[in-house]
Amino acid sequence: MLVKLADPAVSLEASLPGARRLDLPFGSFLALLGPDHPSLEAVQALPGVAWARATGSKPLLAARETFPGGSRVALGGREVGGGTLALMGGPCSVEDREQILTTARFIAACGATGLRGGAYKPRTSPYAFQGLGHAGVELLREAGDASGLPVITEVMEPGDVEAMAPLVDCFQIGARNMSSAPLLRAVGRAGKPVLLKRGPSATLLEFVLAAEYVLLEGNPHVILCERGIRTFETATRNTLDLNAVPVLKELAHLPVVVDPSHGTGRRDAVIPMARAAVAAGADGIIVEVHPDPSKALSDGDQSLHLHEFQRLAEELGPVARAVGRRFDLPRSGADGVPYIRRAVGWGSAN
Amino acid sequence: MLVKLADPAVSLEASLPGARRLDLPFGSFLALLGPDHPSLEAVQALPGVAWARATGSKPLLAARETFPGGSRVALGGREVGGGTLALMGGPCSVEDREQILTTARFIAACGATGLRGGAYKPRTSPYAFQGLGHAGVELLREAGDASGLPVITEVMEPGDVEAMAPLVDCFQIGARNMSSAPLLRAVGRAGKPVLLKRGPSATLLEFVLAAEYVLLEGNPHVILCERGIRTFETATRNTLDLNAVPVLKELAHLPVVVDPSHGTGRRDAVIPMARAAVAAGADGIIVEVHPDPSKALSDGDQSLHLHEFQRLAEELGPVARAVGRRFDLPRSGADGVPYIRRAVGWGSAN
Amino acid sequence: MLVKLADPAVSLEASLPGARRLDLPFGSFLALLGPDHPSLEAVQALPGVAWARATGSKPLLAARETFPGGSRVALGGREVGGGTLALMGGPCSVEDREQILTTARFIAACGATGLRGGAYKPRTSPYAFQGLGHAGVELLREAGDASGLPVITEVMEPGDVEAMAPLVDCFQIGARNMSSAPLLRAVGRAGKPVLLKRGPSATLLEFVLAAEYVLLEGNPHVILCERGIRTFETATRNTLDLNAVPVLKELAHLPVVVDPSHGTGRRDAVIPMARAAVAAGADGIIVEVHPDPSKALSDGDQSLHLHEFQRLAEELGPVARAVGRRFDLPRSGADGVPYIRRAVGWGSAN
Amino acid sequence: MLVKLADPAVSLEASLPGARRLDLPFGSFLALLGPDHPSLEAVQALPGVAWARATGSKPLLAARETFPGGSRVALGGREVGGGTLALMGGPCSVEDREQILTTARFIAACGATGLRGGAYKPRTSPYAFQGLGHAGVELLREAGDASGLPVITEVMEPGDVEAMAPLVDCFQIGARNMSSAPLLRAVGRAGKPVLLKRGPSATLLEFVLAAEYVLLEGNPHVILCERGIRTFETATRNTLDLNAVPVLKELAHLPVVVDPSHGTGRRDAVIPMARAAVAAGADGIIVEVHPDPSKALSDGDQSLHLHEFQRLAEELGPVARAVGRRFDLPRSGADGVPYIRRAVGWGSAN
């Protein structure tokens, strides 16, 4: 049973022994998860109870109806989920200091609001580059500090959370680990923002239930990230499922960002699909960008060149404004040249 | 073997007996499809030959490289595939005169550029409403004439093409029939525009090869329509695959439109996904709209109400302009009230 | 509404104008499909009515509960669906007289019970071999007569049914056409046995509803054929879904055969999956076999060599008997050598 | 680079600093995984080197060609992968002592060769029963000892491996964790048998690469388990992909078992699909069985009743023998009655 209190001052722990209290931005709750507890009716009748709901196979804390206005996640002095579009970028893998510093400074100059980079890399083959590990996290932190951008990186096992927490601004749960309850609980307890990627074969309901694991640890700072599902189509690495944006907005109150890099696996599709995601109502975009994709140790085919990231930033602005969001480019671009909206040919060659 | 002639004046039929000539807007071609023909080298050496290519499992006539500028399909005095966004709407099924006339006049007043409506309906169950048949086609024609909109309707078997051709402006090949060679050839021979819907489990390459069947009959007027693929996700009826837009634009030179009604099966997702499709670079949108979706004989759950169609039209304009396309609303809306761009809340409640 | 009559002698047409009568081996029925008809209660109360059911999105004629004992389809003097396993084979495409005659005689000597061969070929590319057409049907007939095997071949459009009917023993509806209502109705009216292949993205319920189209024309001779669905897996051409066997047996009373050739697309998987299909309860197996697969004009990679077909026949016997079915090899094999069950190593190298 | 030594006595560590040595039943290997190492040619020329292969995106240790005879995994005094069929059963979740003891004793009497039961349960909803945890592992151990069956249970995070290892005979890696490298490495280091379940959207190649992670830690005791993939089909919970059996046998040398319980999610499909798996060449079957499925805390719909498990065991024998495997029932069944092969009707009612 999940109980919402009428206001944070209410204390019902005495009446409901064994209840776990969660004080979240959108309400204070008591979770009664053991096998023995009073009836719904009895609890609903207690003074100070806003509502009590049976727990089962549906999300409750994450459900849109629990917080119709929508939640916002603070990240590096800005917010994901409010009126301003978030734009996060960075390489698939942190490879060396120069690579990550160059990328961080460039994308910051283009108006990016977050820096991503993998240090612990989940790879299909044990023979593939497995990431720099903790040293990679440290380099990412350095690049975040140098560029002023909050940093996001994947954590792959519960045992790593503690050592990483002081260095990262946001933990990423990768697509393969979306349904790993121990990992979700661990980042839930850490209390830091979590970028939760949809599993490649997860339904949207399952995706929101994974977020519920994190919220149930008392951590409300969850950003949902659509990054493509696995289908029969082979022209794209995954099938970026933008339907997720309106559907998740209806199911849950959490911010939704979209990753068109993993979602398509094709550099030429990243910018069009990023525009589409914003038009669908996404709260942000996260893409892979590399100073030299041809030499990337992973995901080179889907990484933007730096100048393409700049073009992405330029193209997102008008679309964001067309759907009522803010996304302002810095006065001058990464190349030092003052920004002027260039006339871009959008026609058949997109 | 497919041979492109250097210009339409070239005549090589004498040198290449058995060749079938195709004079298309983007070039004149000779198709040599029999088992016996000269070598590629020999044909390439003939005077007046621009190129000769082996035929196999790739599209040639439809391939982007054959017509890099992109083709446009004339439909009712306008074009699909040029700088102006196409907006087609109408009910899943033509049900009666009032229903189709009301819908046609309303959407025309909102700026629609085409009227769709099913008369021959492919249904999963033989007990479901199978459409009005030829009488439905006649009603659709009447509604098209009354509203000034070109009409699009599905043809399900080759034997119906001849009787329908005088009444329709554009044949639709439904998703289930995408790979029906006899039907593709029949509409190819009819020479009228064809709206070809992607099969629910067709790869994008297979989709373009289906279009190649039509082109190979000498009919270049093919519009590709993404309408969702079948995946494991159950929150949506299909998974609208907007990745198709940039990928098809790279594979083929044909116009690409998107159907978010069948693609999502959810009324609440239609407008966001229509905006997304335009931002991805689609040449047009085709949606289901009904005066009273709750009473529709088919697809009511995904049909827009008339006032929602009006909102769709209003919302598409800014997105179209953000990506460099024109889409102008009429001076006054279907309700007779002069159009003013209303402040629409695009936030979390989309 | 569908009405089952208590026995074939009952005549209710006078009481139920507009009803269509269907006299099938498992009962006599009246179908009232127009918009206006009496209530279920009123009809059920009529004398001579066994039951009356509302029509909708579920199969009725094909439903298991309508004929719990299971139906059998007579084909060439034998039955599909009874206690004896059916084994049908032949090339993907009929290519020439020698190819089809050699194949037919060989498989007949191995105990095959049917000969398949494509004459009208649905191909993804318009440049691929499209089959010999009617001439191919005639060659197939000749091979059927020479070998004593009933012949099965695909029909692709309603307009071809009449010309093909005198030459074929069983019409195949290919996977791409599973949901083509006009084609299903046409073979339904022809009254001959129909081998209906499951569409690559059809659910099992949709598959049975396609069969319902045929039955509703008064033709009960439908054999369901599982032939693989489209999934993300690329190691196999399709994913042969043997779960279909027990599920279809529960949903419908029609015989179920399995095609492991298209289902896997890999010659090395055909025999193991054929054995598995029989063990799952399939009523028969249909495979592709070719005298020289390396020269086949289509589907060479998945076609068995003749000697592999012989091995298939030998291996199916013990599995069939293990699940209570008969499958007896002829006394001597295609090589003239008397059959002795060879000791086959089934271990890791399968 | 992976190097196979000509025999276990060879020692090349001096010549190849940084190499990790793996002494496995099918050979001794050196893994050189760092960025700097000699050329393939140089290594191949060293005395005592059988072969040296570049590492990349293909399995090497697990590859069939590395051990064509096929590997066998010892489990509780028997082997998985040899000439005898393995039959493992047990409840989805260990719920209490009586439940697991009753089940263990019953299935042992039916000829089962392993006992499965979940203690750490990966659940989609955080509100679902999460398993008894370590107490469940202890109960499972007790039931294993009481019945003489080796026990198999899922481990969900690396940090649990050490505490569980003394109590379990085989670690299960669940489908959701198939690609969790930290977990695969942890069970690899533990050195105990591992039952690795295929991820619901993993290709077969990815599946074998996950096994390669375990082998690369020096642990050769990996059993591959097909348990269904996620497709569009809704009649079954997953689509049990029996094609995996012949394809995995060709890709890898590891034993392959099949789980028709999760693979279908339907009790009525478990026995037919278990028979099919054996006929396809599987080395074993693992199913869910519960004394009272209607009261199971998880997966009740797909759990066999005890008497159904007995029928399963009876039906697998003839199929196993038909494909050259041994599977002998005990002299008397779980009900104490001497076993007599009952005449089972396999027909349409399967």
Tab-separated table of all heavy atoms in Angstrom, chain C residues 74-119:
chain	number	residue	atom	x	y	z
C	74	ALA	N	-8.695	-33.548	-46.745
C	74	ALA	CA	-8.298	-34.583	-47.699
C	74	ALA	C	-7.423	-33.961	-48.767
C	74	ALA	O	-7.735	-32.905	-49.322
C	74	ALA	CB	-9.541	-35.210	-48.330
C	75	LEU	N	-6.301	-34.636	-49.039
C	75	LEU	CA	-5.374	-34.105	-50.036
C	75	LEU	C	-4.740	-35.287	-50.747
C	75	LEU	O	-3.925	-36.010	-50.168
C	75	LEU	CB	-4.310	-33.245	-49.335
C	75	LEU	CG	-3.391	-32.410	-50.227
C	75	LEU	CD1	-4.179	-31.426	-51.085
C	75	LEU	CD2	-2.393	-31.648	-49.365
C	76	GLY	N	-5.174	-35.483	-51.986
C	76	GLY	CA	-4.549	-36.528	-52.792
C	76	GLY	C	-4.718	-37.931	-52.248
C	76	GLY	O	-3.766	-38.707	-52.257
C	77	GLY	N	-5.892	-38.233	-51.730
C	77	GLY	CA	-6.120	-39.583	-51.262
C	77	GLY	C	-5.657	-39.829	-49.838
C	77	GLY	O	-5.893	-40.880	-49.271
C	78	ARG	N	-4.977	-38.858	-49.271
C	78	ARG	CA	-4.609	-38.971	-47.865
C	78	ARG	C	-5.280	-37.825	-47.114
C	78	ARG	O	-6.021	-37.038	-47.684
C	78	ARG	CB	-3.095	-38.872	-47.700
C	78	ARG	CG	-2.328	-40.047	-48.281
C	78	ARG	CD	-0.924	-40.063	-47.695
C	78	ARG	NE	-0.076	-41.055	-48.337
C	78	ARG	CZ	0.521	-40.885	-49.532
C	78	ARG	NH1	0.326	-39.774	-50.225
C	78	ARG	NH2	1.300	-41.834	-50.017
C	79	GLU	N	-4.984	-37.739	-45.828
C	79	GLU	CA	-5.564	-36.678	-45.021
C	79	GLU	C	-4.461	-35.903	-44.312
C	79	GLU	O	-3.481	-36.496	-43.849
C	79	GLU	CB	-6.466	-37.261	-43.935
C	79	GLU	CG	-7.845	-37.618	-44.401
C	79	GLU	CD	-8.677	-38.134	-43.240
C	79	GLU	OE1	-8.078	-38.591	-42.234
C	79	GLU	OE2	-9.899	-38.076	-43.339
C	80	VAL	N	-4.676	-34.607	-44.170
C	80	VAL	CA	-3.834	-33.810	-43.294
C	80	VAL	C	-4.663	-33.527	-42.051
C	80	VAL	O	-5.789	-33.023	-42.156
C	80	VAL	CB	-3.402	-32.480	-43.969
C	80	VAL	CG1	-2.490	-31.690	-43.041
C	80	VAL	CG2	-2.713	-32.748	-45.302
C	81	GLY	N	-4.117	-33.881	-40.907
C	81	GLY	CA	-4.850	-33.621	-39.665
C	81	GLY	C	-5.305	-34.851	-38.922
C	81	GLY	O	-5.838	-34.731	-37.826
C	82	GLY	N	-5.093	-36.018	-39.491
C	82	GLY	CA	-5.470	-37.223	-38.772
C	82	GLY	C	-4.265	-37.813	-38.062
C	82	GLY	O	-3.352	-37.108	-37.659
C	83	GLY	N	-4.239	-39.117	-37.957
C	83	GLY	CA	-3.176	-39.755	-37.198
C	83	GLY	C	-1.873	-39.902	-37.944
C	83	GLY	O	-0.858	-40.272	-37.358
C	84	THR	N	-1.889	-39.609	-39.256
C	84	THR	CA	-0.681	-39.787	-40.053
C	84	THR	C	-0.048	-38.446	-40.340
C	84	THR	O	-0.727	-37.480	-40.676
C	84	THR	CB	-1.018	-40.486	-41.381
C	84	THR	OG1	-1.615	-41.750	-41.089
C	84	THR	CG2	0.233	-40.704	-42.226
C	85	LEU	N	1.256	-38.392	-40.207
C	85	LEU	CA	1.996	-37.173	-40.476
C	85	LEU	C	2.044	-36.916	-41.982
C	85	LEU	O	2.316	-37.826	-42.769
C	85	LEU	CB	3.422	-37.341	-39.946
C	85	LEU	CG	4.294	-36.105	-39.958
C	85	LEU	CD1	3.849	-35.152	-38.861
C	85	LEU	CD2	5.759	-36.486	-39.766
C	86	ALA	N	1.799	-35.668	-42.381
C	86	ALA	CA	1.949	-35.286	-43.781
C	86	ALA	C	3.359	-34.735	-43.998
C	86	ALA	O	3.912	-34.069	-43.123
C	86	ALA	CB	0.913	-34.223	-44.146
C	87	LEU	N	3.929	-35.043	-45.150
C	87	LEU	CA	5.262	-34.532	-45.483
C	87	LEU	C	5.238	-34.020	-46.911
C	87	LEU	O	5.107	-34.785	-47.863
C	87	LEU	CB	6.315	-35.645	-45.339
C	87	LEU	CG	7.740	-35.258	-45.763
C	87	LEU	CD1	8.259	-34.083	-44.941
C	87	LEU	CD2	8.665	-36.459	-45.630
C	88	MET	N	5.296	-32.718	-47.044
C	88	MET	CA	5.217	-32.088	-48.358
C	88	MET	C	6.552	-31.444	-48.676
C	88	MET	O	7.195	-30.861	-47.802
C	88	MET	CB	4.110	-31.044	-48.344
C	88	MET	CG	2.749	-31.694	-48.085
C	88	MET	SD	1.408	-30.513	-47.711
C	88	MET	CE	1.589	-30.395	-45.926
C	89	GLY	N	6.975	-31.572	-49.912
C	89	GLY	CA	8.245	-30.977	-50.287
C	89	GLY	C	8.233	-30.555	-51.730
C	89	GLY	O	7.295	-30.844	-52.489
C	90	GLY	N	9.274	-29.857	-52.096
C	90	GLY	CA	9.412	-29.413	-53.478
C	90	GLY	C	10.249	-28.153	-53.525
C	90	GLY	O	10.588	-27.581	-52.491
C	91	PRO	N	10.549	-27.717	-54.731
C	91	PRO	CA	11.415	-26.547	-54.858
C	91	PRO	C	10.655	-25.253	-54.560
C	91	PRO	O	9.429	-25.210	-54.672
C	91	PRO	CB	11.830	-26.593	-56.321
C	91	PRO	CG	10.688	-27.257	-57.010
C	91	PRO	CD	10.167	-28.277	-56.040
C	92	CYS	N	11.405	-24.222	-54.198
C	92	CYS	CA	10.786	-22.904	-54.035
C	92	CYS	C	10.069	-22.544	-55.338
C	92	CYS	O	8.885	-22.284	-55.342
C	92	CYS	CB	11.862	-21.864	-53.697
C	92	CYS	SG	11.200	-20.191	-53.564
C	93	SER	N	10.805	-22.575	-56.434
C	93	SER	CA	10.224	-22.250	-57.746
C	93	SER	C	10.301	-23.455	-58.669
C	93	SER	O	11.321	-24.151	-58.704
C	93	SER	CB	11.021	-21.117	-58.422
C	93	SER	OG	10.971	-19.939	-57.671
C	94	VAL	N	9.220	-23.665	-59.410
C	94	VAL	CA	9.305	-24.587	-60.538
C	94	VAL	C	10.189	-23.912	-61.582
C	94	VAL	O	9.907	-22.782	-61.995
C	94	VAL	CB	7.906	-24.855	-61.134
C	94	VAL	CG1	8.014	-25.760	-62.358
C	94	VAL	CG2	6.982	-25.463	-60.087
C	95	GLU	N	11.275	-24.592	-61.974
C	95	GLU	CA	12.230	-23.950	-62.888
C	95	GLU	C	12.212	-24.566	-64.288
C	95	GLU	O	12.307	-23.864	-65.285
C	95	GLU	CB	13.637	-24.012	-62.280
C	95	GLU	CG	13.724	-23.223	-60.965
C	95	GLU	CD	15.025	-23.427	-60.207
C	95	GLU	OE1	15.902	-24.161	-60.707
C	95	GLU	OE2	15.158	-22.851	-59.105
C	96	ASP	N	12.099	-25.869	-64.337
C	96	ASP	CA	12.013	-26.541	-65.641
C	96	ASP	C	11.480	-27.951	-65.408
C	96	ASP	O	11.376	-28.394	-64.264
C	96	ASP	CB	13.367	-26.571	-66.361
C	96	ASP	CG	14.449	-27.233	-65.541
C	96	ASP	OD1	14.238	-28.391	-65.102
C	96	ASP	OD2	15.502	-26.615	-65.321
C	97	ARG	N	11.143	-28.648	-66.508
C	97	ARG	CA	10.512	-29.961	-66.385
C	97	ARG	C	11.386	-30.951	-65.626
C	97	ARG	O	10.935	-31.646	-64.734
C	97	ARG	CB	10.187	-30.517	-67.773
C	97	ARG	CG	9.658	-31.956	-67.714
C	97	ARG	CD	9.203	-32.482	-69.052
C	97	ARG	NE	7.903	-31.938	-69.431
C	97	ARG	CZ	7.709	-31.065	-70.404
C	97	ARG	NH1	8.719	-30.644	-71.142
C	97	ARG	NH2	6.491	-30.612	-70.665
C	98	GLU	N	12.665	-30.978	-65.970
C	98	GLU	CA	13.524	-31.976	-65.340
C	98	GLU	C	13.635	-31.738	-63.834
C	98	GLU	O	13.572	-32.675	-63.041
C	98	GLU	CB	14.917	-31.955	-65.985
C	98	GLU	CG	15.789	-33.081	-65.437
C	98	GLU	CD	17.221	-32.997	-65.959
C	98	GLU	OE1	17.433	-32.347	-67.013
C	98	GLU	OE2	18.112	-33.565	-65.305
C	99	GLN	N	13.795	-30.468	-63.476
C	99	GLN	CA	13.948	-30.155	-62.053
C	99	GLN	C	12.744	-30.614	-61.251
C	99	GLN	O	12.875	-31.247	-60.202
C	99	GLN	CB	14.133	-28.629	-61.900
C	99	GLN	CG	14.149	-28.147	-60.461
C	99	GLN	CD	13.077	-27.085	-60.201
C	99	GLN	OE1	12.049	-27.024	-60.897
C	99	GLN	NE2	13.331	-26.266	-59.211
C	100	ILE	N	11.552	-30.324	-61.751
C	100	ILE	CA	10.370	-30.626	-60.935
C	100	ILE	C	10.037	-32.117	-60.982
C	100	ILE	O	9.634	-32.709	-59.963
C	100	ILE	CB	9.180	-29.709	-61.331
C	100	ILE	CG1	8.039	-29.832	-60.328
C	100	ILE	CG2	8.701	-29.963	-62.746
C	100	ILE	CD1	8.367	-29.324	-58.948
C	101	LEU	N	10.286	-32.742	-62.126
C	101	LEU	CA	10.006	-34.181	-62.214
C	101	LEU	C	10.972	-34.981	-61.344
C	101	LEU	O	10.569	-35.902	-60.636
C	101	LEU	CB	10.110	-34.641	-63.670
C	101	LEU	CG	8.825	-34.495	-64.493
C	101	LEU	CD1	9.103	-34.766	-65.974
C	101	LEU	CD2	7.761	-35.486	-63.990
C	102	THR	N	12.235	-34.643	-61.420
C	102	THR	CA	13.237	-35.324	-60.591
C	102	THR	C	12.881	-35.206	-59.122
C	102	THR	O	12.901	-36.179	-58.361
C	102	THR	CB	14.629	-34.691	-60.822
C	102	THR	OG1	14.966	-34.833	-62.199
C	102	THR	CG2	15.690	-35.360	-59.951
C	103	THR	N	12.561	-33.982	-58.722
C	103	THR	CA	12.242	-33.742	-57.316
C	103	THR	C	11.008	-34.525	-56.904
C	103	THR	O	10.983	-35.183	-55.853
C	103	THR	CB	12.019	-32.236	-57.084
C	103	THR	OG1	13.174	-31.520	-57.534
C	103	THR	CG2	11.786	-31.934	-55.611
C	104	ALA	N	9.984	-34.474	-57.728
C	104	ALA	CA	8.718	-35.119	-57.386
C	104	ALA	C	8.898	-36.621	-57.215
C	104	ALA	O	8.426	-37.215	-56.240
C	104	ALA	CB	7.677	-34.821	-58.464
C	105	ARG	N	9.588	-37.228	-58.160
C	105	ARG	CA	9.763	-38.686	-58.084
C	105	ARG	C	10.611	-39.070	-56.880
C	105	ARG	O	10.345	-40.063	-56.211
C	105	ARG	CB	10.394	-39.202	-59.370
C	105	ARG	CG	9.386	-39.203	-60.523
C	105	ARG	CD	10.054	-39.541	-61.837
C	105	ARG	NE	9.062	-39.670	-62.902
C	105	ARG	CZ	9.280	-39.291	-64.160
C	105	ARG	NH1	10.445	-38.763	-64.512
C	105	ARG	NH2	8.321	-39.445	-65.070
C	106	PHE	N	11.643	-38.275	-56.636
C	106	PHE	CA	12.515	-38.599	-55.508
C	106	PHE	C	11.761	-38.523	-54.189
C	106	PHE	O	11.813	-39.439	-53.368
C	106	PHE	CB	13.724	-37.649	-55.475
C	106	PHE	CG	14.715	-38.032	-54.424
C	106	PHE	CD1	15.778	-38.882	-54.727
C	106	PHE	CD2	14.578	-37.594	-53.119
C	106	PHE	CE1	16.682	-39.267	-53.746
C	106	PHE	CE2	15.471	-37.973	-52.131
C	106	PHE	CZ	16.522	-38.814	-52.443
C	107	ILE	N	11.055	-37.430	-53.980
C	107	ILE	CA	10.413	-37.288	-52.664
C	107	ILE	C	9.271	-38.277	-52.502
C	107	ILE	O	8.998	-38.738	-51.392
C	107	ILE	CB	9.976	-35.831	-52.369
C	107	ILE	CG1	8.839	-35.372	-53.265
C	107	ILE	CG2	11.169	-34.872	-52.451
C	107	ILE	CD1	8.226	-34.035	-52.836
C	108	ALA	N	8.611	-38.608	-53.623
C	108	ALA	CA	7.554	-39.627	-53.525
C	108	ALA	C	8.149	-40.948	-53.048
C	108	ALA	O	7.577	-41.642	-52.204
C	108	ALA	CB	6.857	-39.792	-54.872
C	109	ALA	N	9.323	-41.271	-53.587
C	109	ALA	CA	9.976	-42.522	-53.184
C	109	ALA	C	10.387	-42.493	-51.718
C	109	ALA	O	10.567	-43.543	-51.105
C	109	ALA	CB	11.198	-42.774	-54.066
C	110	CYS	N	10.568	-41.299	-51.167
C	110	CYS	CA	10.941	-41.155	-49.751
C	110	CYS	C	9.730	-41.147	-48.831
C	110	CYS	O	9.885	-41.024	-47.614
C	110	CYS	CB	11.694	-39.856	-49.532
C	110	CYS	SG	13.304	-39.791	-50.313
C	111	GLY	N	8.535	-41.190	-49.399
C	111	GLY	CA	7.362	-41.200	-48.550
C	111	GLY	C	6.638	-39.872	-48.449
C	111	GLY	O	5.731	-39.718	-47.633
C	112	ALA	N	7.015	-38.902	-49.279
C	112	ALA	CA	6.317	-37.613	-49.236
C	112	ALA	C	4.843	-37.798	-49.577
C	112	ALA	O	4.467	-38.733	-50.292
C	112	ALA	CB	6.961	-36.627	-50.208
C	113	THR	N	4.029	-36.902	-49.067
C	113	THR	CA	2.586	-36.978	-49.305
C	113	THR	C	2.061	-35.797	-50.106
C	113	THR	O	0.863	-35.701	-50.345
C	113	THR	CB	1.830	-37.058	-47.970
C	113	THR	OG1	2.088	-35.857	-47.233
C	113	THR	CG2	2.263	-38.255	-47.142
C	114	GLY	N	2.966	-34.886	-50.507
C	114	GLY	CA	2.529	-33.747	-51.306
C	114	GLY	C	3.719	-33.091	-51.979
C	114	GLY	O	4.850	-33.196	-51.499
C	115	LEU	N	3.437	-32.430	-53.109
C	115	LEU	CA	4.488	-31.756	-53.885
C	115	LEU	C	4.189	-30.266	-53.940
C	115	LEU	O	3.123	-29.863	-54.404
C	115	LEU	CB	4.511	-32.324	-55.311
C	115	LEU	CG	5.483	-31.661	-56.302
C	115	LEU	CD1	6.936	-31.894	-55.902
C	115	LEU	CD2	5.218	-32.159	-57.724
C	116	ARG	N	5.119	-29.453	-53.459
C	116	ARG	CA	4.941	-28.007	-53.550
C	116	ARG	C	5.884	-27.450	-54.612
C	116	ARG	O	6.942	-28.048	-54.898
C	116	ARG	CB	5.239	-27.330	-52.214
C	116	ARG	CG	6.669	-27.518	-51.731
C	116	ARG	CD	7.152	-26.284	-50.978
C	116	ARG	NE	7.378	-25.211	-51.914
C	116	ARG	CZ	7.364	-23.932	-51.636
C	116	ARG	NH1	7.127	-23.541	-50.421
C	116	ARG	NH2	7.593	-23.008	-52.553
C	117	GLY	N	5.531	-26.305	-55.166
C	117	GLY	CA	6.400	-25.645	-56.126
C	117	GLY	C	5.772	-24.329	-56.523
C	117	GLY	O	4.570	-24.254	-56.784
C	118	GLY	N	6.567	-23.285	-56.568
C	118	GLY	CA	6.037	-21.955	-56.869
C	118	GLY	C	6.072	-21.657	-58.346
C	118	GLY	O	7.084	-21.893	-59.010
C	119	ALA	N	4.971	-21.134	-58.856
C	119	ALA	CA	4.918	-20.727	-60.257
C	119	ALA	C	4.699	-19.214	-60.341
C	119	ALA	O	5.323	-18.523	-61.150
C	119	ALA	CB	3.799	-21.459	-60.975
